[in-house]
């Protein structure tokens, strides 16, 4: 059984976790890395698996847009440095046309996920705090500040106990920063705070001291507390976390303890998923393609992008390095295999992966021509008709990108307009062979039969297969290897080939 169906079955059988509410979250403070798409896609297939079993289920993806900016990409450093420490929703957008820094990056991830067929409803943490939805959990957290420190200590072994500590930061009324404020003296209505110049390395507070209500969006819980607080405010019953959070004594364990002892809320079903490793430094630096989530659709069709993330069981690490010349052709082949399993009903689990890889509601049958063949076709002239006939127009774009960015030299070729100098060394027999081939070009040929014919013509002259085909490649491409010769010749203008083969 497919892993997400197993999870759905386990959740339903347990009789707990009702009403089913799947949730995940993201901090919109920059372009997400491609690898970070595994979280939302794992949640999306679990949501769909539950739905397919007839369960009533909701699926939300939270924008943590109350978080402060704690780092900037180098190209924005000068322009936005003074906003370090300011909540992303209060900092200006790096690009015109968006209300804030947080809105710009929220829209970016949302459009990536929407394109990948993720059906989540997006909620803004900032908005929920502003609307007062967090007021009750803020009060509970402030009233239980000591207990929260106990939990940090017991669960994670943290020894950073601080007298008078409160689980909250407020927005400084003078400088607008959140990341620099230390809050103290909760009296049931207000807290006092100091905006500290040296509290964090990445932002400088202004030194202001004030007193303010912690409610209605004036302040935010620290994220370890904010996470389970979200569950209670929204009603989340199913939320997984990457392995960095799921290790023993990690933030997922802290959240679980806070649910039990502070918020009195049932611990949601956990899906501790492994990472997907994409490319690495090599890819970012040498190939001119970044590692951003939004770039995925430049190298893979969306259905195959989705397939890459959901096919592997959630606890297994996935490695995908597009700069490895075989990585992209192989994933296309595997997607076709999954499609065959679906349409031929041969492998139930693989068929299910294919079904859940669909971005649209309709199941779309992929082309049956292999990607490696397509990469040859796009390099041959006059193949447009064949490409359209085989439903390969959209895949052709990816074949060209692969050739340009990732293909090894041996897989690239170009029909030479003039006779290549490499053809000068052809043997007498090879030249004779080319002449014989050109005499066959007036007939109508099926490519498969023509391929056999070429081989036979070589044999008649006593030439082996290697010398036979090298003659063709050297005279047309200037290389001793190339795509299937018959297909190559038939893709070209007949008079052009005749002329080329007869001047030799
Ligand atoms: Zn300040």
């Amino acid at each position: 059984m497919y892993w997400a169906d197993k999870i759905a079955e386990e959740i339903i059988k347990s009789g707990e976790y009702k009403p089913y509410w799947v949730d995940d979250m993201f901090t919109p403070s920059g372009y997400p890395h491609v690898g970070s798409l595994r979280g939302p896609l794992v949640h999306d297939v679990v949501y769909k698996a539950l739905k397919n079993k007839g369960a009533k289920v909701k699926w939300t993806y939270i924008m943590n847009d109350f978080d402060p900016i704690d780092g900037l990409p180098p190209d924005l450093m000068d322009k936005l440095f003074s906003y370090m420490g300011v909540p992303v929703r209060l900092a200006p957008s790096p690009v015109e046309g968006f209300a804030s820094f947080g809105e710009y990056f929220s829209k970016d991830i949302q459009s990536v996920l929407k394109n990948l067929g993720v059906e989540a409803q997006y909620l803004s943490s900032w908005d929920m705090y502003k609307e007062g939805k967090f007021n009750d959990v803020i009060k509970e957290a402030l009233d239980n500040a000591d207990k929260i420190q106990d939990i940090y200590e017991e669960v994670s072994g943290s020894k950073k106990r601080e007298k008078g500590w409160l689980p909250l930061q407020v927005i400084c009324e003078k400088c607008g920063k959140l990341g620099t404020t230390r809050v103290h003296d909760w009296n049931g209505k207000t807290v006092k705070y100091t905006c500290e110049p040296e509290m964090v390395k990445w932002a400088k507070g202004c030194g202001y001291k004030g007193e303010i209500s912690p409610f209605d969006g004036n302040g935010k819980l620290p994220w370890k507390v904010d996470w389970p607080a979200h569950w209670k405010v929204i009603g989340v019953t199913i939320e997984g976390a990457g392995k960095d959070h799921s290790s023993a004594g990690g933030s997922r364990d802290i959240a679980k303890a806070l649910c039990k002892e502070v918020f009195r809320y049932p611990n949601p079903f956990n899906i501790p998923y492994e990472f997907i490793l994409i490319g690495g430094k090599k890819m970012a630096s040498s190939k001119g393609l970044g590692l951003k989530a939004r770039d995925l659709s430049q190298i893979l069709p969306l259905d195959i992008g989705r397939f890459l993330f959901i096919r592997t069981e959630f606890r297994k690490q996935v490695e995908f390095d597009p700069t490895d010349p075989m990585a992209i052709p192989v994933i296309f082949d595997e997607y076709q295999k999954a499609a065959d399993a679906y349409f031929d009903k041969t492998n139930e689990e693989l068929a299910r992966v294919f079904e859940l890889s669909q971005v649209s509601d309709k199941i779309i049958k992929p082309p049956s021509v292999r990607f490696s063949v397509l990469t040859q076709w796009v390099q041959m002239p006059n193949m447009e008709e064949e490409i359209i006939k085989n439903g390969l127009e959209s895949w052709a774009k990816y074949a060209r990108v692969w050739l340009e960015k990732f293909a090894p030299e041996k897989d690239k070729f170009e029909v030479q307009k003039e006779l290549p100098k490499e053809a000068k060394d052809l043997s007498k027999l090879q030249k004779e062979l080319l002449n014989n081939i050109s005499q066959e070009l007036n007939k109508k040929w099926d490519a498969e039969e023509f391929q056999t014919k070429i081989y036979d013509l070589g044999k008649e002259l006593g030439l082996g297969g290697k010398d036979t085909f090298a003659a063709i490649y050297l005279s047309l491409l200037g290389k001793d290897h190339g795509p299937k010769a018959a297909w190559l010749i038939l893709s070209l203008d007949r008079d052009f080939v005749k002329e080329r083969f007869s001047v030799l």
Side-chain angles (χ1 to χ4, degrees):
M1 196 193 287
Y2 177 57
W3 63 264
D5 291 324
K6 271 190 220 158
I7 290 179
E9 201 173 271
E10 188 187 336
I11 290 171
I12 292 170
K13 269 195 184 153
S14 75
E16 294 172 54
Y17 311 110
K18 276 187 184 167
Y20 303 127
W21 194 309
V22 179
D23 180 68
D24 191 14
M25 51 174 56
F26 172 74
T27 298
S29 60
Y31 296 109
H33 182 276
V34 183
S36 63
L37 293 172
R38 192 172 197 183
L41 285 166
V42 158
H43 286 83
D44 192 58
V45 287
V46 169
Y47 160 76
K48 283 172 180 156
L50 279 163
K51 219 168 67 164
N52 291 161
K53 288 190 187 298
K56 208 171 161 244
V57 49
K58 287 197 174 185
W59 162 209
T60 47
Y61 196 66
I62 311 299
M63 297 291 119
N64 277 330
D65 53 357
F66 202 153
D67 289 6
I69 301 178
D70 61 0
L72 285 165
D75 55 323
L76 294 177
M77 209 32 134
D78 280 353
K79 193 174 153 198
L80 295 175
F81 181 73
S82 61
Y83 291 95
M84 293 280 279
V86 171
V88 295
R89 277 284 291 269
L90 290 179
S93 169
V95 171
E96 262 180 64
F98 298 88
S100 66
F101 191 87
E103 190 191 282
Y104 173 69
F105 288 110
S106 294
K107 292 275 190 266
D108 177 70
I109 181 79
Q110 287 171 21
S111 92
V112 172
L113 294 179
K114 199 165 165 254
N115 290 338
L116 284 168
V118 171
E119 287 177 357
Q121 180 196 345
Y122 299 100
L123 292 179
S124 151
S125 181
W126 171 266
D127 289 348
M128 289 189 283
Y129 270 93
K130 284 276 161 197
E131 288 158 8
K133 290 182 176 158
F134 275 71
N135 289 355
D136 290 345
V137 286
I138 289 171
K139 186 174 184 310
E140 281 174 320
L142 291 173
D143 288 344
N144 287 284
D146 273 347
K147 201 189 254 180
I148 291 173
Q149 288 212 91
D150 290 344
I151 290 169
Y152 280 8
E153 215 172 308
E154 281 160 27
V155 178
S156 72
S158 160
K159 296 269 177 274
K160 283 192 288 184
R161 206 170 178 101
E162 194 183 309
K163 209 169 176 297
W165 176 85
L166 290 174
L168 193 82
Q169 284 189 294
V170 294
I171 301 171
C172 171
E173 293 156 283
K174 198 175 164 209
C175 73
K177 287 179 185 169
L178 173 81
T180 52
T181 59
R182 196 182 302 274
V183 169
H184 46 92
D185 294 303
W186 161 239
N187 63 12
K189 284 207 166 81
T190 61
V191 288
K192 289 179 180 164
Y193 70 95
T194 312
C195 184
E196 295 189 0
E198 306 295 337
M199 195 172 94
V200 288
K201 285 201 180 78
W202 39 270
K204 203 170 165 62
C206 68
Y208 182 76
K209 287 176 193 294
E211 183 170 350
I212 195 170
S213 157
F215 303 126
D216 302 322
N218 290 340
K220 179 193 167 291
L221 298 163
W223 88 266
K224 281 180 194 170
V225 183
D226 178 78
W227 192 12
H230 266 96
W231 295 340
K232 183 171 182 176
V233 168
I234 297 165
V236 174
T237 55
I238 301 156
E239 178 156 347
K243 71 159 187 186
D244 48 339
H245 299 311
S246 298
S247 56
S251 42
R252 188 61 175 73
D253 280 353
I254 290 177
K256 183 181 168 185
L258 290 171
C259 274
K260 187 166 175 239
E261 292 173 44
V262 177
F263 296 125
R264 319 247 169 244
Y265 184 76
N267 180 38
F269 184 90
N270 190 15
I271 311 161
Y273 57 86
E274 251 291 351
F275 292 142
I276 176 161
L277 304 176
I278 307 263
K281 272 185 190 157
K282 204 168 57 171
M283 181 182 174
S285 56
S286 68
K287 297 286 177 178
L289 250 183
L291 295 159
K292 295 170 190 159
R294 50 166 33 196
D295 294 333
L296 181 67
S297 63
Q298 288 178 28
I299 57 171
L300 290 176
L302 293 163
D303 291 322
I304 300 186
R306 201 175 149 91
F307 174 75
L308 169 68
F309 283 91
I310 68 157
R311 65 181 168 150
T312 310
E313 210 256 3
F314 68 102
R315 279 169 300 201
K316 287 189 192 135
Q317 188 171 291
V318 178
E319 280 182 47
F320 178 71
D321 180 359
T323 65
D324 172 349
M326 284 319 290
I328 287 177
V330 163
I331 191 112
F332 273 86
D333 289 355
E334 285 174 357
Y335 186 71
Q336 284 172 324
K337 245 184 260 165
D340 290 345
Y342 179 84
F343 289 104
D344 305 340
K345 300 192 171 30
T346 46
N347 178 330
E348 208 178 302
E349 196 176 329
L350 199 51
R352 182 73 171 138
V353 176
F354 175 75
E355 191 183 353
L356 285 169
S357 297
Q358 302 304 301
V359 163
S360 71
D361 293 338
K362 259 195 3 231
I363 303 250
I364 296 166
K365 193 170 186 167
S368 53
V369 173
R370 285 185 68 188
F371 186 77
S372 56
V373 173
L374 176 60
T375 63
Q376 298 180 350
W377 286 9
V378 298
Q379 296 181 84
M380 297 182 198
N382 310 314
M383 287 300 280
E384 289 78 11
E385 209 178 301
E386 198 67 16
I387 286 171
I388 291 168
K389 205 175 90 191
N390 285 281
L392 288 160
E393 300 104 299
S394 73
W395 279 19
K397 179 180 121 192
Y398 299 99
R400 289 192 188 97
V401 169
W402 179 77
L403 284 164
E404 191 197 325
K405 306 262 181 200
F406 310 120
E409 279 311 309
K410 73 172 178 59
D411 288 340
K412 296 184 198 176
F413 61 86
E414 194 181 341
V415 176
Q416 303 295 309
K417 291 205 171 65
E418 304 294 331
L419 181 71
K421 61 177 185 337
E422 291 82 357
K424 301 263 157 50
D425 299 331
L426 289 175
S427 70
K428 200 167 160 277
L429 282 177
Q430 282 177 310
K431 287 177 187 169
E432 199 178 332
L433 166 74
L434 294 177
N435 254 306
N436 294 351
I437 294 173
S438 74
Q439 314 235 330
E440 297 290 335
L441 288 174
N442 293 329
K443 297 179 197 158
K444 199 169 162 27
W445 281 105
D446 164 74
E448 208 66 66
E449 286 166 18
F450 191 47
Q451 183 82 2
T452 314
K453 181 73 187 174
I454 294 170
Y455 187 79
D456 290 344
L457 286 172
K459 219 164 138 193
E460 280 167 23
L461 293 169
L463 288 169
K466 198 169 169 235
D467 288 339
T468 297
F469 293 108
I472 295 167
Y473 300 134
L474 286 166
S475 60
L476 292 174
L477 312 174
K479 290 174 124 178
D480 63 2
H481 61 273
K484 268 189 158 179
W487 278 259
L488 174 64
I489 292 171
L490 295 178
S491 78
L492 298 169
D493 180 74
R494 300 286 164 100
D495 290 334
F496 168 82
V497 181
K498 276 190 218 167
E499 202 190 316
R500 176 66 50 92
F501 285 1
S502 56
V503 295
L504 285 152

